[in-house]
Amino acid sequence: PELASTPRILIAQRQEQPAPRPAMSYRPASGDCQQPKQESKPAAMPFPAGALCQQDPPVPSPTQVPTMSEVTPIDQTFGRMSIGPPPGRQVGGQDTQPCVAFGISSSVPRPRIARHNLVPSAPPQHGQSTSLRRPPPSALATRATSYSTTQQQTTSNIIALSPASHMGSHSERQQAASETGLTAESQQHSASPSVPVTAVDLAARCDSRYMRCTVGQLPPTAAMAAQTRLPAGIVCQPMALDVDQEPPLDVVNFGSTGIVRCKKCRAYVNPYVSWVNNGRQWRCNICGFVNDVPNSYFCQLQPETGRRRDVDQRPELREGSVELVAPGEYMVRPPQPPVYVFCLDVSTQAVASGLLSVVTRTVLDSLGSLPGAPRTQIAVITFDHAVHFYNLKATLGTPEMICVSDVEDLFVPLPDDLLVNLAESVEVVKKVLEALPGMHSATSTMSGTSRGDTRTRAMSGAFAPPDVMGRQDLLRKSAPSHPTSAAQAHREGTMGLALGPALTAAYRVMGHIGGKLCVFASSLPSVGEAALKPRAHPRAYGTDQERLLLRASQTNGEPNWYETRAVEFSRLQICVELFLTSPLYTDAATLGVLPKITAGQLYYYPSFRATSDGEKLSAELSRILTRPTGFEAVMRVRCTRGLRVSTFRGNYYIRGHDLLALPNCSPESVFALELSHDDQPLTTDVASIQASLLYTTSSGERRIRVHTMAVPIAKSAQDILYSADIDTLCNILAKSAIDVALKEGFEATRAKLQQKCVEVFAACRSSTGSVTVPAYVRGGAHRLAQQSGSAISYPQSGGSGSAGSSQIGFKLPDALELLPLYTMSLIKCAAFCGGSGIGVDERSFALQRLDTMALSQTRYFIYPRLLPLHTVLADMHDATNLTLPTPLSLTADAISSDGIYLLDNTLKFYILVGAKTCKDLLESLFVMDQSSHSRELRLQPLDRAYTDDQASFTAGQQQRNALESILTMLRKGRPPYIGIDVVSEGDPVKGPIFFRHLVEDAANFSGGQFSYQEFMAHIQRHS
């Protein structure tokens, strides 16, 4: 909403005694702000009852507690309020959520009481190393493939820190104090009181599935980082382990004490802060500033260890990940309710392909599982070459549809009845969703009227008898909205898709609250504002000009309509989930900025058909609607002094220089961070990186999720190379290559990836000295090892994978042994390979999906796994004790015509059926797809009648259910849903796609000219 004036927010002045923060007052008319009245409060106890303290701590003087009576005006750029320090005071960023509404309502739900020890601490995972020695070669594959294991540590879990090493020299502290403008009075907080050596427990850092670093030890200086040639980066997935609406972390409520955080850098208290002055002060592990401990938070220290006596009762001091209840000062409006708005394409293409039926059926099935009940709100908008609104008011016996055909000057009718409370209007919503497929399949709607005509009707025909039509005076005959076939629509040439006006309609319906917007489009937008023109030029595919097609279209060098609208969506806390299903060019590069800037996701189903793609779309849409979601979120990452985050990657909109605006955050939200060194070297033995996510839960609580990781500082370049994490390293390298591809082209991207591998090779050679031990470089098959703790496991004995062998003149560190193979695979993957076999929309989707992939997804996107299914399914007797076959190297020599092979590349499962496959096995697993013109194979439908009666299974049924168990196991924990494509040997269309993934063989496209042996020889020659 537009503001008539610039309101200002008053922050109450703190007193000597801790007191609850009073409610803020807001007067939009005058823009003035007054000091809210402080209610008289009884003196707070120096510490809570039961605290392990023997004496009362001294009350800090007024000079030690800064006052915060200043105000900050609204940020005019985004129309937001920001609560924080005045322009003249530099105390660091504060994670205050920018919102649309103003002020704090007294109806905000009170935070719940702290819950401790909800989830016991996880024991060390399989594959974790805590010793100083190098890991044996046999442990490499397990560490490289097990996503649940923690990152390899090449140092002891306990590191002793002295005050000098933690804070730097006295001269450095004086220089830092002068640079930050600290007065002599405030410099007493930065002094180093005499304290004993403190032990740092690295086991307390956050789970590696939340934050994972490319190296186990960080370089202390930029010079050493350049010597290793390895990028220092972190893959952050702040909600990775959320499986339901309740967080899997301890929830801490500081109450009247207020959240304990550093006054200088605003970092949150965590297990790696140090305690000084007998616990009356604590030193921040991020910036080194010494903070006073609030009276109610004080506890004495243990003389032997220097730790607080109550550390076991304080999750924020014991665990690297914790959830904090945010007090009122972290809100400038009541927490938003979960809002879901559906923009459905009802054009002929969408109806004929079955898209509309699949979407409406999935939303119907998910209504009862939408989070946030009974606060959840919902709206439905449909569009073809016009926009249709639906009156979902609970008092209506029959819902009404309002059609606005003037898409050039769109207005929203009945703005108060379009977005409704789901609990109150659930029956009306169900009627609309059930009616939509039949209504838009053949019947006449109001979309075919002349421009400027707005029509309202009750949903008649199959939806209501004619005598209950509403507003009959506005109705008159009109031409059918949809032609009888897609070919007829193409011949008419006048029909189009009004996606831009539909987005404008959704913007006006939900803009005052925010929420999630699910958009479905089956063709290129060509009607109304934001109409797009085809830009695809097949002659540009595989050339440097292709990069221009992969960028969002621009008008005279200015951002296009979709980018501008996406920024506005982010400002209003609207997240866009975009589904594209066109059989033709859709300009995914331009439309993809909507989910990228609004922290959503792009889903692409080329030539969508309900029979083959409906299950995948339904599973992914259901996951979007029911997964744990954090609304109106912001995230900031803080690093130890001497380090900084130089680059963010993922789907977000950045405000300032380090605040990520995330209208929605989910377990699939992944961010890649690249770290760089400041001018001054690191002076600590352990570097800390803290990610804080401020968000609103679906139940309406404001929370701060804090993840803190500690990484030891290396003594030499060799320590860094031996501590590398190959999965995280390849994830960072792949995402950084996306920027190069869009700026310089794919040829330059492939050259830089290859050069990076050469540089790391040379760094290993120089750091390890004159080592001449011949080493056997494994093929890709050896990266798959036994997966413990699962019903389906790999056998411990595997094949040799001789196709991937090579000889080199020295031995790479075990951690980097697979880097040449992965580099070659990345060069040949769909995102970066040359040639004209990949369409521009498919390429754009691959790049956008790669930019948001977690470690478990990039692992098989870069180097797919190939499983010979026939070796397991041919002699199937007991599906309950299933063992996966040994993975094969990605070479054509590993494939025979009498087998069935499954290839997993994260985006899709390809099942190759050999021409000489056993007939009985073929009939048990597959059936001919009669709906396709080419009579393709598809999986045999499961016989649900035999699901519970294992004894009644026939051999064919056992084989089919065993295959389903394998697919379920491979999909587990790897959203989004992975679809299946069955490829017959000799298929002229799907066959080349399958064999393109056999990266260890030479290929005839640009960048694929090397086999694995040739690539290894090339790397050795140039290093």
Side-chain angles (χ1 to χ4, degrees):
E2 300 294 337
L3 305 177
S5 60
T6 303
R8 301 169 72 85
I9 297 180
L10 178 64
I11 301 179
Q13 182 174 0
R14 295 186 182 178
Q15 308 297 323
E16 291 186 19
Q17 293 292 340
R21 187 185 184 94
M24 292 182 288
S25 59
Y26 169 67
R27 299 195 304 173
S30 62
D32 299 331
C33 49
Q34 299 177 351
Q35 189 81 319
K37 293 183 178 180
Q38 289 277 8
E39 298 180 4
S40 59
K41 297 288 183 180
M45 294 182 62
F47 50 86
L52 300 178
C53 308
Q54 302 300 325
Q55 61 183 2
D56 295 352
V59 178
S61 63
T63 59
Q64 293 177 317
V65 182
T67 60
M68 298 181 64
S69 59
E70 299 88 349
V71 297
T72 302
I74 261 189
D75 183 355
Q76 296 293 344
T77 304
F78 302 103
R80 283 293 191 276
M81 293 183 180
S82 57
I83 303 177
R89 178 177 296 175
Q90 185 68 26
V91 296
Q94 183 166 348
D95 295 333
T96 301
Q97 168 62 29
C99 293
V100 180
F102 326 108
I104 297 179
S105 170
S106 60
S107 62
V108 177
R110 297 182 62 84
R112 295 182 295 180
I113 300 176
R115 303 194 307 275
H116 301 306
N117 301 325
L118 296 181
V119 181
S121 300
Q125 300 290 334
H126 177 69
Q128 181 180 13
S129 175
T130 59
S131 62
L132 284 168
R133 61 183 178 85
R134 288 173 51 191
S138 60
L140 173 64
T142 301
R143 184 178 67 251
T145 57
S146 178
Y147 177 56
S148 62
T149 58
T150 56
Q151 180 175 301
Q152 179 201 14
Q153 300 174 4
T154 56
T155 182
S156 175
N157 272 349
I158 305 296
I159 295 181
L161 287 185
S162 64
S165 66
H166 188 72
M167 278 297 299
S169 63
H170 178 68
S171 60
E172 290 173 347
R173 292 194 300 272
Q174 286 184 334
Q175 180 182 1
S178 62
E179 290 175 353
T180 54
L182 297 177
T183 62
E185 180 182 4
S186 62
Q187 286 189 27
Q188 63 180 341
H189 296 273
S190 297
S192 294
S194 177
V195 292
V197 174
T198 304
V200 175
D201 186 6
L202 295 182
R205 57 185 173 185
C206 66
D207 193 295
S208 62
R209 286 167 288 185
Y210 289 125
M211 298 179 70
R212 191 163 170 178
C213 191
T214 55
V215 290
Q217 298 184 37
L218 287 171
T221 62
M224 185 178 292
Q227 181 181 352
T228 63
R229 299 295 182 177
L230 294 178
I234 293 175
V235 176
C236 180
Q237 197 171 356
M239 299 181 68
L241 302 184
D242 290 55
V243 294
D244 52 32
Q245 303 305 324
E246 287 297 322
L249 305 173
D250 292 334
V251 180
V252 178
N253 189 346
F254 284 96
S256 60
T257 301
I259 293 181
V260 181
R261 58 190 306 191
C262 179
K263 292 183 174 65
K264 180 181 178 184
C265 69
R266 310 304 294 164
Y268 297 89
V269 67
N270 59 81
Y272 299 105
V273 303
S274 57
W275 305 90
V276 296
N277 196 12
N278 197 25
R280 293 179 175 85
Q281 293 176 316
W282 61 277
R283 179 182 291 112
C284 176
N285 58 313
I286 301 296
C287 67
F289 187 75
V290 177
N291 299 267
D292 292 326
V293 175
N295 294 336
S296 57
Y297 197 70
F298 171 78
C299 180
Q300 287 187 339
L301 306 181
Q302 298 176 357
E304 309 83 24
T305 63
R307 304 174 64 198
R308 286 171 56 114
R309 297 178 182 271
D310 64 346
V311 66
D312 293 332
Q313 289 77 42
R314 296 280 188 183
E316 70 276 13
L317 304 180
R318 186 183 70 245
E319 304 290 344
S321 297
V322 71
E323 191 106 338
L324 310 179
V325 176
E329 56 261 34
Y330 290 81
M331 297 178 283
V332 293
R333 71 167 181 179
Q336 72 169 67
V339 174
Y340 294 88
V341 176
F342 300 93
C343 272
L344 307 180
D345 182 356
V346 294
S347 64
T348 301
Q349 176 64 33
V351 174
S353 65
L355 171 65
L356 184 59
S357 298
V358 172
V359 172
T360 53
R361 183 175 64 250
T362 304
V363 176
L364 272 171
D365 295 339
S366 304
L367 286 180
S369 303
L370 293 180
R375 303 165 59 245
T376 308
Q377 299 186 26
I378 192 172
V380 177
I381 299 172
T382 60
F383 63 98
D384 45 17
H385 59 278
V387 180
H388 319 117
F389 300 90
Y390 296 86
N391 187 349
L392 304 177
K393 192 174 181 179
T395 57
L396 291 177
T398 302
E400 294 178 341
M401 183 187 77
I402 305 99
C403 173
V404 178
S405 58
D406 187 359
V407 294
E408 299 294 342
D409 187 17
L410 187 75
F411 73 96
V412 178
L414 302 176
D416 297 331
D417 298 329
L418 302 178
L419 183 65
V420 297
N421 183 277
L422 178 60
E424 298 173 355
S425 304
V426 61
E427 294 302 325
V428 179
V429 172
K430 287 182 178 180
K431 289 181 181 180
V432 171
L433 294 174
E434 291 170 352
L436 284 177
M439 177 182 183
H440 292 282
S441 60
T443 60
S444 173
T445 68
M446 298 301 101
S447 300
T449 60
S450 60
R451 175 168 297 186
D453 189 12
T454 302
R455 297 171 179 267
T456 305
R457 63 177 293 180
M459 302 177 70
S460 60
F463 325 102
D467 57 355
V468 297
M469 285 188 178
R471 307 188 183 185
Q472 301 237 4
D473 55 312
L474 296 179
L475 297 179
R476 59 177 179 264
K477 292 184 179 180
S478 61
S481 172
H482 302 288
T484 57
S485 66
Q488 182 179 346
H490 180 72
R491 287 194 304 268
E492 290 182 2
T494 58
M495 312 298 283
L497 201 65
L499 176 59
L503 292 173
T504 299
Y507 166 82
R508 296 177 180 175
V509 169
M510 63 188 305
H512 63 292
I513 299 178
K516 185 178 291 294
L517 174 61
C518 298
V519 182
F520 303 83
S522 63
S523 61
L524 184 71
S526 57
V527 174
E529 61 178 340
L532 296 176
K533 296 180 180 180
R535 297 189 299 147
H537 299 289
R539 292 183 179 180
Y541 294 176
T543 68
D544 286 342
Q545 297 301 315
E546 185 178 1
R547 63 187 174 88
L548 302 178
L549 305 178
L550 297 172
R551 300 177 185 174
S553 63
Q554 295 183 340
T555 303
N556 298 326
E558 297 295 330
N560 62 38
W561 185 93
Y562 291 96
E563 185 173 351
T564 304
R565 183 63 74 190
V567 173
E568 190 67 13
F569 278 152
S570 178
R571 183 181 72 85
L572 298 179
Q573 307 299 333
I574 298 174
C575 170
V576 179
E577 306 284 355
L578 181 60
F579 296 77
L580 301 180
T581 64
S582 174
L584 303 175
Y585 174 73
T586 322
D587 202 350
T590 298
L591 298 179
V593 300
L594 287 168
K596 181 171 183 60
I597 293 178
T598 62
Q601 188 62 271
L602 173 66
Y603 299 87
Y604 181 55
Y605 312 83
S607 302
F608 176 87
R609 288 185 301 157
T611 54
S612 58
D613 304 312
E615 183 180 5
K616 175 177 172 61
L617 188 147
S618 179
E620 292 183 337
L621 178 58
S622 178
R623 170 68 180 170
I624 288 172
L625 298 179
T626 60
R627 67 190 176 189
T629 303
F631 297 90
E632 48 185 355
V634 290
M635 188 176 80
R636 175 174 276 125
V637 180
R638 300 175 174 89
C639 303
T640 294
R641 186 176 60 193
L643 288 176
R644 59 183 173 86
V645 180
S646 58
T647 306
F648 294 91
R649 290 189 172 88
N651 288 358
Y652 60 87
Y653 183 67
I654 191 165
R655 293 198 171 102
H657 66 281
D658 63 346
L659 185 66
L660 306 186
L662 311 172
N664 280 184
C665 188
S666 69
E668 282 79 65
S669 299
V670 183
F671 309 96
L673 321 171
E674 289 192 21
L675 306 178
S676 59
H677 289 75
D678 291 331
D679 295 335
Q680 57 181 354
L682 292 172
T683 58
T684 64
D685 293 330
V686 175
S688 299
I689 299 97
Q690 186 179 89
S692 53
L693 177 74
L694 174 66
Y695 73 100
T696 300
T697 66
S698 59
S699 60
E701 294 183 85
R702 202 76 174 131
R703 297 282 183 83
I704 306 171
R705 178 167 296 194
V706 181
H707 298 299
T708 306
M709 72 178 303
V711 184
I713 302 302
K715 303 300 182 182
S716 66
Q718 185 176 0
D719 294 339
I720 301 173
L721 292 169
Y722 278 101
S723 70
D725 185 309
I726 188 63
D727 283 334
T728 312
L729 176 62
C730 290
N731 185 288
I732 295 294
L733 288 176
K735 293 178 179 180
S736 62
I738 296 175
D739 293 340
V740 180
L742 297 179
K743 294 178 181 178
E744 304 179 26
F746 292 101
E747 191 66 33
T749 303
R750 293 189 291 267
K752 289 193 175 183
L753 287 172
Q754 184 173 298
Q755 182 62 27
K756 173 60 70 174
C757 185
V758 169
E759 292 173 352
V760 174
F761 240 70
C764 293
R765 188 189 300 274
S766 62
S767 65
T768 55
S770 56
V771 179
T772 58
V773 179
Y776 177 83
V777 181
R778 300 176 179 85
H782 287 267
R783 66 187 310 280
L784 298 173
Q786 182 179 3
Q787 295 180 352
S788 59
S790 61
I792 300 178
S793 61
Y794 294 98
Q796 296 187 17
S797 60
S800 61
S802 59
S805 63
S806 179
Q807 295 289 330
I808 60 177
F810 72 100
K811 190 177 187 304
L812 280 171
D814 292 340
L816 296 173
E817 194 176 32
L818 295 174
L819 180 62
L821 177 65
Y822 287 1
T823 300
M824 185 192 66
S825 302
L826 188 59
I827 290 174
K828 294 183 179 182
C829 75
F832 304 113
C833 71
S836 58
I838 300 178
V840 64
D841 279 343
E842 181 183 355
R843 177 95 71 179
S844 179
F845 169 71
L847 292 174
Q848 294 190 50
R849 178 54 58 87
L850 175 60
D851 201 30
T852 58
M853 278 186 182
L855 296 176
S856 62
Q857 296 171 328
T858 54
R859 178 178 303 122
Y860 300 117
F861 179 81
I862 294 174
Y863 189 90
R865 53 180 163 183
L866 181 65
L867 304 177
L869 297 179
H870 57 280
T871 60
V872 175
L873 302 179
D875 299 323
M876 177 55 57
H877 301 290
D878 184 10
T880 60
N881 189 19
L882 194 61
T883 301
L884 288 181
T886 303
L888 304 176
S889 297
L890 294 180
T891 173
D893 295 338
I895 296 177
S896 61
S897 295
D898 58 351
I900 300 177
Y901 303 88
L902 184 145
L903 188 140
D904 172 15
N905 74 343
T906 291
L907 301 180
K908 185 174 287 188
F909 290 146
Y910 293 94
I911 300 180
L912 177 66
V913 181
K916 299 179 181 179
T917 303
C918 174
K919 183 179 179 181
D920 294 338
L921 183 60
L922 191 65
E923 293 177 350
S924 300
L925 302 179
F926 306 102
V927 65
M928 194 68 68
D929 188 357
Q930 303 296 336
S931 63
S932 64
H933 299 291
S934 58
R935 297 178 61 84
E936 300 172 346
L937 291 178
R938 61 182 177 89
L939 287 180
Q940 189 82 248
L942 286 174
D943 191 347
R944 303 296 180 184
Y946 294 93
T947 301
D948 300 324
D949 188 4
Q950 297 286 339
S952 302
F953 279 179
T954 65
Q957 292 164 344
Q958 287 182 347
Q959 291 170 340
R960 176 64 184 91
N961 283 273
L963 176 58
E964 190 66 21
S965 298
I966 293 174
L967 297 175
T968 301
M969 192 65 191
L970 295 178
R971 287 183 178 128
K972 185 178 181 181
R974 297 172 60 202
Y977 184 87
I978 304 178
I980 302 172
D981 210 346
V982 181
V983 183
S984 300
E985 184 180 358
D987 190 321
V989 178
K990 297 182 180 180
I993 298 176
F994 179 90
F995 285 96
R996 189 180 67 203
H997 293 84
L998 304 184
V999 295
E1000 295 188 34
D1001 293 335
N1004 59 358
F1005 53 79
S1006 179
Q1009 64 272 20
F1010 289 134
S1011 66
Y1012 182 37
Q1013 294 88 345
E1014 295 168 344
F1015 186 80
M1016 285 295 302
H1018 177 80
I1019 295 297
Q1020 179 186 5
R1021 189 183 315 117
H1022 289 81
S1023 62

